[in-house]
Amino acid sequence: YSSSYFAILNIFVSDASHSKMRTLILTFLLFLSSSAFMQAQDVRHSIDSIEAQLPHLDAQERLEALSDICDYAFYLDDAPYEQKCLRRLFREAEQMGDKHTASYAYANLMCSFYNHNMYDELVAELPASLAYLEHAGSELYYFETRQLLIDMYLYLEKNYQALNEMQKMYDDAKKN
């Protein structure tokens, strides 16, 4: 533990002369937690408002609204909900033939797996996502998504696999 942890702990267990400091710290912690709760409520309200408008939007506006929902879902720190939103955006964009938005959604779904340490899901879905992104001509999203695998290997201290993947990615980039 850090020395600041012990300093705070000492404040809470020391004599009554620190009661004002304890009250101040507890008030601050309560403020932080209530602020985060209120922010989540605001995000939820925004999502609900957009969802209510969806049936009345034309196709392109609908995709933009779904993209906004995905952006808000990111801030909720709720991986299943965020991934559900990204899959929904991907499906609807794909149905409309909007490969750019579909690529955006698919690449962000892979990022969500990475950000939430869902490495098994990332490894399982990565080949299909890379194939889609390559076929869609989304070169930037393709290489950004491929970089996630390298980052994962480095994080897991699988340096040899990371180097191999970097070399493969470099070779592929030279071809394009």
Side-chain angles (χ1 to χ4, degrees):
Y1 294 107
S2 69
S3 59
S4 60
Y5 171 79
F6 286 114
I8 292 171
L9 184 61
N10 188 36
I11 291 169
F12 284 102
V13 296
S14 65
D15 61 39
S17 66
H18 290 102
S19 66
K20 286 184 182 180
M21 182 61 81
R22 269 192 298 239
T23 303
L24 179 65
I25 290 173
L26 287 173
T27 303
F28 179 71
L29 292 174
L30 180 63
F31 172 76
L32 282 179
S33 63
S34 66
S35 175
F37 175 76
M38 289 173 59
Q39 183 181 9
Q41 292 296 93
D42 289 344
V43 169
R44 271 279 169 217
H45 177 73
S46 297
I47 290 171
D48 292 342
S49 295
I50 296 170
E51 286 279 355
Q53 295 173 7
L54 285 177
H56 311 291
L57 300 175
D58 68 32
Q60 190 58 40
E61 289 173 330
R62 184 175 171 81
L63 283 183
E64 290 171 14
L66 288 172
S67 181
D68 289 343
I69 290 171
C70 291
D71 292 342
Y72 281 119
F74 172 81
Y75 292 106
L76 290 177
D77 197 31
D78 178 354
Y81 181 72
E82 177 186 1
Q83 292 157 10
K84 175 184 164 192
C85 292
L86 288 165
R87 288 182 194 280
R88 180 179 179 191
L89 177 61
F90 173 76
R91 279 191 313 275
E92 293 206 23
E94 182 65 11
Q95 288 172 353
M96 290 179 47
D98 185 340
K99 294 209 180 287
H100 176 75
T101 301
S103 296
Y104 165 84
Y106 216 166
N108 278 288
L109 177 62
M110 297 301 107
C111 287
S112 178
F113 290 145
Y114 178 82
N115 289 339
H116 294 284
N117 300 327
M118 300 171 74
Y119 301 130
D120 291 340
E121 290 84 350
L122 176 63
V123 170
E125 290 208 34
L126 195 63
S129 71
L130 291 175
Y132 178 86
L133 295 169
E134 186 174 38
H135 178 72
S138 299
E139 192 172 288
L140 178 63
Y141 289 131
Y142 173 84
F143 285 107
E144 285 179 351
T145 301
R146 197 159 174 192
Q147 179 66 39
L148 294 172
L149 186 61
I150 295 167
D151 292 343
M152 180 192 75
Y153 286 145
L154 290 172
Y155 178 75
L156 297 174
E157 297 182 5
K158 296 181 176 183
N159 297 332
Y160 183 75
Q161 287 174 289
L163 285 171
N164 282 336
E165 189 60 35
M166 276 190 260
Q167 186 62 52
K168 287 183 209 173
M169 192 165 93
Y170 174 75
D171 294 342
D172 285 351
K174 283 192 329 188
K175 291 178 194 174
N176 295 329

